[in-house]
Amino acid sequence: MGLSDMTRPLTDAGRAGLAALLAAPRDAVIALDFDGTLAPIVPDPDRARADPGVAPALRALAPRVGAVAVVTGRPAALAVEYGGLAGIDGVVVLGHYGAERWEDGRLTAPPPHPGVAEVRAELAERLAALGAPEGTWVEDKGRSVAVHTRRTAEPAAAFELLRAPMERLAAEHGLVVEPGRLVLELRPPGVDKGAALTGLLRERGARSVLYAGDDLGDVPAFAAVEGLRPEGLAGLLVCSGAVGDAPVRELADRADLVVPGPAGVVELLVALGEELSRPAAGR
């Protein structure tokens, strides 16, 4: 298949990032969000599964690049399970925004922040007092707690109704709120996808990176790549989703390439794998 017009960057910075990745893939990191990027967004997060093309694409890419990483707000073990990643050598999963790390079948993580348990104990009562609309539901992620509004009659209105109160509740217990696609996640401060990605890039001595994401939780990762470009890092920023989709508009505006959801991400990954499988100088 190879790179097509759909998978070619539209910006000078993105074209430079792609060129650097193809010229020296062993110095490159390919980092990917999970929900909305590798897996379609679904009403029930427990039913999310990676696009069927993800595992074959990553299996082909991992031996050819410096690192392949999945950077997600999910627990790392769930991303491994839902992504079918357990049998793919060379894949690193940074879960809970980098608080957890899965690599070579081993999971490492610090103790949970005490504020998460405190919020968990208060959340149902607080939502009831706020008059949270029917369909609002809570996802317990272990190291964080997420309030979803996707199942309500007016998801966007419910999201805005709850946003400020959830930020106050989080602050009371030393947590912060990470907004996403119709979800407000109350989680510990100091961990985000930008910090997780930066740490991995420095660990691997990366000279180029491709990062793909789909919602506001990916903004810190985009910002990290933008901030590292003046230091010599070549970066290709990919937005997974339609440009007109409000939750991803900020990413789309900052992206070097916008692809149509997980299927588009898979097409890009497959094209990269095919390009890197061809004999070339320096590889």
Side-chain angles (χ1 to χ4, degrees), residues 15 49 64 99 104 120 136 182 191 193 246 256 267 270:
R15 286 189 286 270
R49 296 295 184 273
R64 295 186 167 95
D104 297 329
R120 186 183 294 118
T136 302
L182 302 175
V191 290
K193 292 182 180 181
D256 304 303
E267 180 178 345
V270 169

Side-chain angles (χ1 to χ4, degrees), residues 141-153:
K141 295 187 173 184
R143 294 177 179 273
S144 64
V145 182
V147 179
H148 294 261
T149 64
R150 183 173 298 277
R151 298 176 184 171
T152 63

Side-chain angles (χ1 to χ4, degrees), residues 260-271:
V265 173
V266 168
E267 180 178 345
L268 174 61
L269 296 176
V270 169

